[in-house]
Amino acid sequence: MDADSIRAAYRRYARFYDPVFGNLLASGRHAAVKWINRRGGLRVLEVGVGTGISLSDYRKDNRVVGIDLSSEMLRVAQDRVDRERLENVDGLLEMDAGKLAFADGSFDLVVAMYVMTVVPDPQGTMNELERVCRPGGDILIVNHFAADKPGIRRSVENWMAPFSKKLGWRPDFTLDTLMSGSRLKVEELQTVPPFGLFSLLHCRREAATPA
């Protein structure tokens, strides 16, 4: 999928994303934010912030920056921030996840929910997430990963794959594809509802070596 296809898909989704997808994808969002909220005082980057549906759930002592490729989705997110007076949200920026305009090590934690099946270059995006995360920091990914064994689910995913541009995501996307060439350490992978179709992946950036 290319950037124009992604923008077109989420231009269609922006007005009804929350009522249609909000409940369907809520379990993964809640699991990720609950994990993040175990600690305070963090500088958090949410990649693919979309309509900002998760922003009100963060601890108020965590500072959050959100980015998204879709200006239409970001307008909805900004309205939410203003309406709910979310003062811990430091910014909402239109930005390509594969070309993050942040300095190395800018964030304590980077989270990307339902993003990796959408971006044109998942491996390059993972490299960017690693780059802007501080050494020893955490990266959380919520995503659908294709079944790793033959069966009905894998057959359905393969059947849906040619419609990726219309859907706005890739049904046949695998965990191995995402982690190919990555230096990140996988700490945990757990499935989340509904039906175990989505997973919460926790990776950690290697801590800096003492001089």
Side-chain angles (χ1 to χ4, degrees):
M1 293 182 65
D2 55 62
D4 288 340
S5 297
I6 295 167
R7 288 190 181 95
Y10 286 91
R11 188 179 302 119
R12 295 193 299 269
Y13 293 161
R15 287 181 294 176
F16 57 83
Y17 185 91
D18 287 1
V20 173
F21 295 103
N23 289 332
L24 175 64
L25 305 180
S27 295
R29 289 197 317 273
H30 292 161
V33 176
K34 181 180 179 180
W35 195 100
I36 295 167
N37 283 346
R38 297 187 299 181
R39 293 179 291 163
L42 299 176
R43 183 161 166 78
V44 177
L45 173 65
E46 184 175 332
V47 175
V49 68
T51 63
I53 195 170
S54 63
L55 292 176
S56 60
D57 295 329
Y58 288 102
R59 283 174 54 151
K60 301 311 176 190
D61 56 346
N62 285 331
R63 312 299 305 182
V64 182
V65 174
I67 71 150
D68 204 279
L69 192 62
S70 169
S71 58
E72 288 83 5
M73 299 284 270
L74 285 172
R75 279 196 288 272
V76 177
Q78 188 62 60
D79 287 344
R80 187 190 305 274
V81 168
D82 295 341
R83 183 175 64 253
E84 299 183 15
R85 299 181 180 180
L86 302 178
E87 296 180 357
N88 63 320
V89 177
D90 289 336
L92 296 171
L93 307 171
E94 186 175 345
M95 194 178 298
D96 186 340
K99 300 175 183 177
L100 296 173
F102 301 111
D104 296 357
S106 293
F107 299 93
D108 300 303
L109 187 146
V110 181
V111 58
M113 295 181 268
Y114 310 107
V115 168
M116 290 303 176
T117 51
V118 175
V119 294
D121 179 11
Q123 294 90 352
T125 298
M126 282 295 283
N127 290 339
E128 278 292 272
L129 270 54
E130 178 184 358
R131 181 183 67 78
V132 302
C133 184
R134 67 168 174 79
D138 299 291
I139 296 174
L140 295 183
I141 306 293
V142 179
N143 213 83
H144 167 78
F145 297 114
D148 56 3
K149 296 179 181 179
I152 294 175
R153 178 178 152 187
R154 188 60 182 267
S155 296
V156 171
E157 290 164 343
N158 290 338
W159 177 83
M160 293 174 65
F163 305 103
S164 293
K165 285 190 176 183
K166 292 292 185 182
L167 292 169
W169 58 286
R170 288 191 292 269
D172 58 343
F173 185 77
T174 66
L175 178 60
D176 288 344
T177 297
L178 178 64
M179 299 306 298
S180 176
S182 175
R183 298 172 298 178
L184 292 169
K185 180 182 178 182
V186 174
E187 297 285 343
E188 184 180 11
L189 177 68
Q190 64 182 72
T191 58
V192 296
F195 314 117
L197 290 175
F198 300 99
S199 298
L200 173 62
L201 172 67
H202 171 214
C203 299
R204 179 164 290 139
R205 182 177 176 184
E206 185 177 355
T209 304

